[in-house]
Amino acid sequence: MNLRRHLLVATAAMLTFAGAAGAQALTLKAADVHPAGYPTVVAVENMGKKLESATNGRIKVQMFPGGVLGGEKEMIEQTQVGAIHLLRTSLGPIGPVVPEVNVFNMPFVFRSQAHVRAVLDGPIGTEMLDKISASPARLVALAWMDSGSRSLYTKKPVRSPADLKGLKIRMMGNPLFVDTMNAMGGNGISMGYGEVFSALQTNVVDGAENNPPSYFTSNHYNTGAKYYTQTNHLMIPEILVMSKVTWDKLSKDDQALVKKLAREAQLEQRVLWDKSVAEYTDKLKAAGVEFINIDTRPFYEATAPVRAKYGAQFTELMKRIEAVQ
C-alpha cells in the first residue's frame, strides 16, 4: 500500500500547469477517503464531468477514492502543496487554523438536517468558506458536503440519559466528543474507527455512534449492537477544498466556473446523501436493527455544559446559528 501510495503521489506531482493559466489541458487530481460510489465521491466525479464539458475537455478531474492517497491528514498536507488539487475532507483538521468551524462540532448546535442546510446555504456558511480560504491553511473552500446526523447504536435499548449509565460508547478522537458522551450519561471512549468492530465484538465497548450508511457499511450492526437510538446529537458538515497552489494558477474565468460547479455539487450531494440514508436505513431494519425514536430534549439539556465550555468564545456565532430558520 505504501509503495502504491508513493507512486500515486509521484504521479500527482507530475501533473503540472504548462504555459499560461488555462492555456493547455489540465487534469485535476481529486481525493476522498470515502469509497467509490459514496455520495461525496459521485458528486465530485459529476462535477468533473461538467467541468470537462464546459471547457471542451481542457480541464478534467481524476478521482482517487477510498483513501488510496492516504488518510485525511496526509491528503490535506498533499493538497496544501498542490500534489492533490481537489479534496473532500472533514472539518476536524481545519479547526486548528480556523477555530470558528469548531462550532459545527458541538452537540445539538443544529436542530435538524434542514437547519444545517439553511445555515450552510446562508451568510454563515459563506463566511466560513471565506474564512477558510483566507486562513493560513493554503486551501480554497469551495462547497459544503453533507455527512448526515450521528446517533447511538448499542447492545441494549437507550431511550433516556439514564439508560446510558455504565455503557462504554466509542467516540471520535476529540475531547469535545468524549465530553459530549459523558454529559449524555455514558462513558465516552476515544478509539480509532478501524478498531470499533473488534471492540464491539469483544465487549470492550457497548456501543458507538454514527450515521446509518456508516453503521451498515462498517458491519457494526452484526456485533450485537442492534439498537439504533435516534439522538441526532452531532450533525457535522464536510467540505470540498482546492489547493491554493492550484487555485492561483487558474484564470479568473476558470475560478468562477469551478466555484459554480462546486456549488452545484454541494446540492447534488445532498440528494445522493438522502437517498443513501433511506436505502441503508431499510437495509438495517431488514437485518433486524430496531430504530428507536426518542424525545431528544433530555440529551440536549444534558449537553448544555459542553456547549458552554467549547462555545464560550463563539457566543455571538452560536446565537446567529440558532436564529436561522
Side-chain angles (χ1 to χ4, degrees):
M1 175 59 83
N2 285 338
L3 176 59
R4 184 183 180 196
R5 184 177 298 163
H6 290 152
L7 288 172
L8 289 169
V9 173
T11 301
M14 292 170 64
L15 297 173
T16 58
F17 296 78
Q24 295 190 5
L26 163 67
T27 298
L28 297 174
K29 183 173 288 290
D32 200 320
V33 295
H34 293 315
Y38 199 85
T40 53
V41 173
V42 174
V44 174
E45 286 175 334
N46 289 343
M47 172 186 166
K49 292 173 184 176
K50 291 180 182 178
L51 190 58
E52 183 174 355
S53 175
T55 61
N56 295 315
R58 182 170 51 82
I59 303 179
K60 301 178 181 180
V61 171
Q62 182 180 16
M63 170 59 75
F64 289 83
V68 295
L69 297 184
E72 285 196 337
K73 182 177 183 294
E74 295 167 297
M75 290 196 293
I76 285 174
E77 291 170 353
Q78 293 176 57
T79 306
Q80 288 172 321
V81 299
I84 291 174
H85 306 128
L86 279 170
L87 175 67
R88 195 287 320 155
T89 181
S90 67
L91 280 181
I94 307 296
V97 287
V98 186
E100 288 91 342
V101 301
N102 288 320
V103 171
F104 293 163
N105 290 329
M106 288 193 292
F108 299 105
V109 73
F110 298 114
R111 296 185 297 274
S112 64
Q113 198 74 66
H115 184 216
V116 177
R117 292 171 178 177
V119 170
L120 297 180
D121 288 347
I124 295 173
T126 301
E127 288 169 21
M128 289 292 195
L129 293 176
D130 291 343
K131 280 181 181 290
I132 293 168
S133 298
S135 77
R138 290 174 290 160
L139 303 170
V140 176
L142 299 174
W144 298 103
M145 295 275 169
D146 265 29
S147 64
S149 61
R150 301 175 73 97
S151 289
L152 287 169
Y153 48 92
T154 51
K155 296 184 178 183
K156 72 173 202 176
V158 171
R159 293 181 172 85
S160 70
D163 293 335
L164 273 171
K165 186 175 181 180
L167 297 188
K168 300 184 293 294
I169 308 296
R170 180 266 173 178
M171 302 297 288
M172 293 181 285
N174 181 320
L176 187 158
F177 301 136
V178 173
D179 285 354
T180 293
M181 180 48 57
N182 292 342
M184 287 170 63
N187 179 13
I189 304 295
S190 176
M191 180 183 293
Y193 190 59
E195 303 171 47
V196 182
F197 182 86
S198 175
L200 285 166
Q201 272 193 321
T202 56
N203 296 316
V204 171
V205 295
D206 303 297
E209 47 83 67
N210 218 315
N211 55 57
S214 296
Y215 178 32
F216 183 87
T217 57
S218 64
N219 206 28
H220 290 172
Y221 67 96
N222 272 328
T223 64
K226 287 208 167 187
Y227 296 97
Y228 192 78
T229 303
Q230 297 184 88
T231 48
N232 298 313
H233 52 278
L234 293 173
M235 300 182 189
I236 307 171
E238 298 177 341
I239 196 166
L240 178 66
V241 297
M242 176 175 273
S243 170
K244 183 75 161 54
V245 175
T246 307
W247 180 259
D248 288 344
K249 292 177 180 177
L250 295 177
S251 69
K252 294 295 182 184
D253 286 346
D254 285 345
Q255 289 176 350
L257 178 62
V258 167
K259 275 199 170 183
K260 173 182 177 290
L261 297 181
R263 167 66 177 173
E264 291 178 10
Q266 171 177 319
L267 300 177
E268 179 185 353
Q269 191 265 346
R270 288 180 181 175
V271 176
L272 295 168
W273 178 260
D274 289 345
K275 181 181 177 184
S276 175
V277 169
E279 289 176 351
Y280 282 114
T281 295
D282 287 344
K283 289 180 180 180
L284 288 164
K285 288 179 178 178
V289 171
E290 180 181 345
F291 278 68
I292 303 174
N293 290 309
I294 59 163
D295 176 10
T296 60
R297 173 60 59 173
F299 292 94
Y300 170 81
E301 292 173 349
T303 53
V306 179
R307 289 186 295 278
K309 175 181 177 181
Y310 290 93
Q313 58 183 315
F314 308 121
T315 303
E316 289 306 313
L317 177 57
M318 291 175 67
K319 286 180 180 176
R320 290 179 61 204
I321 290 173
E322 186 176 0
V324 173
Q325 299 301 313

